Amino acid sequence: MNTVLTIYSAERQSGKTLLGINLGVSLLTEPQKSVVLVDVGSDETISAATTLKLPSPRLMSAAQDASDVGAHAQSHSSQLDIVTLDAAMFRDKAAAQPFLTALLTTLRDMYGYVILDISSHLSPVTDDIIDATDIFLVVVSSLDYDVPISIIGHHHYRVIVNMKGQPPKDGKSHVHAKEYLLPEDTLTIDASRQSGVPFVIQSSSRQISQTIGRLAREIGKKRFGMAFTGGAALALAQVGIMEVFERNRITFDMMTG
């Protein structure tokens, strides 16, 4: 079954659009399904199309046929597709609701994953988006956060903590199943913005990229584990094996031994 993910943050410039781009690319390479990122009136300073250095987007409005979305999609070299909606249409729920319903039906048929990047200013159609969402991703900038009540009732949600200027939490990328910690990595993000290449491709070995990769594998229900055996002497030999995995950027979600 195809999956709809919605990225939301109550904070402006939270990094949710950048998360959407890099998560989308990770879903292309981890579960290996087609992905589209839909800019649903996002209020990030830099849009997804601009971040990826694509031409000015062809905005879709409620006056257009939702089944014609393919003609408005922009494709990045990573094979991630971008669709940008006209934010003005969401002021009129009567017009926006049927269009959005038809659009999501079309996109579910076309893509394995549909990522909706919605505005921090909740519009009259936000409830409809929540109802259509399979997995909700809430982006926050502090470990001291509150999840909106309307989202808490949504069984499948994840909290993405953008650790801007905060010390790492015991060196972990996530604390529990619903929480992922993105380390501050200004150099990696700035380099990605300058090149227009998602950092999960350009800097795949960085911790921020690895954390998003783990999130993608969890969403795609594809996990990797390593089982060690043989005692201390053999374990020393296995260090070399781990170095080969690291050089080839193969990471693990769990280890035992």
Side-chain angles (χ1 to χ4, degrees), residues 34-222:
S34 57
V35 183
V36 62
L37 174 62
V38 185
D39 189 337
V40 189
S42 173
D43 49 9
E44 294 281 358
T45 302
I46 304 176
S47 68
T50 302
T51 299
L52 293 172
K53 298 190 181 301
L54 295 172
S56 298
R58 300 180 289 274
L59 299 180
M60 286 200 76
S61 69
Q64 294 168 314
D65 186 348
S67 63
D68 194 35
V69 64
H72 292 79
Q74 296 176 281
S75 295
H76 184 256
S77 58
S78 64
Q79 298 184 16
L80 175 68
D81 285 352
I82 306 293
V83 173
T84 307
L85 304 185
D86 186 351
M89 73 178 179
F90 293 101
R91 301 190 188 105
D92 182 2
K93 182 175 181 178
Q97 187 176 35
F99 171 82
L100 189 62
T101 299
L103 179 67
L104 287 177
T105 298
T106 301
L107 291 176
R108 276 186 184 270
D109 291 338
M110 293 175 61
Y111 295 93
Y113 291 98
V114 180
I115 303 176
L116 305 177
D117 180 8
I118 67 173
S119 171
S120 59
H121 303 290
L122 300 179
S123 70
V125 297
T126 301
D127 289 340
D128 298 314
I129 293 176
I130 291 176
D131 290 340
T133 298
D134 300 304
I135 301 175
F136 226 102
L137 304 177
V138 183
V139 183
V140 298
S141 61
S142 171
L143 290 167
D144 183 21
Y145 60 82
D146 292 314
V147 177
I149 294 177
S150 58
I151 296 175
I152 290 178
H154 202 285
H155 297 294
H156 302 289
Y157 76 88
R158 304 291 182 270
V159 177
I160 315 300
V161 186
N162 216 338
M163 304 285 288
K164 298 178 180 178
Q166 299 183 67
K169 197 170 185 178
D170 300 327
K172 297 179 180 178
S173 62
H174 64 272
V175 178
H176 53 76
K178 289 184 179 292
E179 184 178 271
Y180 284 79
L181 310 182
L182 290 184
E184 182 179 33
D185 195 339
T186 304
L187 291 177
T188 295
I189 291 174
D190 287 348
S192 176
R193 288 190 184 278
Q194 290 175 10
S195 66
V197 179
F199 56 73
V200 294
I201 295 176
Q202 183 168 279
S203 306
S204 60
S205 61
R206 302 291 292 177
Q207 185 181 348
I208 188 172
S209 300
Q210 298 291 336
T211 300
I212 292 178
R214 289 189 182 96
L215 173 61
R217 290 195 295 277
E218 191 239 317
I219 290 172
K221 298 179 180 179
K222 180 179 179 181

